[in-house]
Amino acid sequence: SEPSVFEGTDPKECEAFVAAVRRRGLEQGKHRDHEWMAVFASSYLSGAALYWYEDLEEDVQNDWSRLRPALLARFGRRGNFPNATSSAPATSAATPSSTNIPTPAAAPP
């Protein structure tokens, strides 16, 4: 099944996107190929999700085992709380906020 374009607008959209990418990887026999999965997923990003992705380090962009949890941390349920964005890997200038200060590592909860 093809994933829908992911814009990063809703936690449920994020969860459905991750699940759809996983299903596609399984269908293609690529679920253990983290680079293929990451590149495939990135081809369905748009809007805020695309700008966020472009700000990530290349090793996160190209590794599904790192991109998947980053997506969920930024756009999933944990990313929906006001202070959660400061623990996200990187934020985009497209979503400015005076309280959104990127940090190199997430603080413990």
Side-chain angles (χ1 to χ4, degrees):
S1 63
E2 287 291 313
S4 298
V5 170
F6 178 66
E7 296 184 7
T9 58
D10 178 81
K12 288 186 179 183
E13 177 199 22
C14 182
E15 293 163 11
F17 177 73
V18 168
V21 170
R22 278 185 174 151
R23 281 191 301 273
R24 182 58 174 229
L26 285 166
E27 289 169 3
Q28 298 294 315
K30 298 283 192 179
H31 58 285
R32 292 179 191 226
D33 183 342
H34 295 296
E35 183 176 6
W36 185 92
M37 295 283 289
V39 171
F40 176 76
S42 72
S43 71
Y44 285 87
L45 300 178
S46 180
L50 177 62
Y51 283 95
W52 168 84
Y53 170 83
E54 291 297 333
D55 283 342
L56 293 174
E57 296 292 328
E58 191 173 338
D59 59 333
V60 177
Q61 289 179 344
N62 293 324
D63 184 345
W64 181 241
S65 70
R66 297 186 68 194
L67 179 59
R68 183 187 68 247
L71 276 164
L72 290 168
R74 174 65 178 90
F75 298 106
R77 290 185 194 150
R78 290 174 291 177
N80 212 22
F81 298 103
N83 294 330
T85 54
S86 65
S87 64
T91 57
S92 167
T95 56
S97 171
S98 61
T99 60
N100 191 5
I101 303 168
T103 56

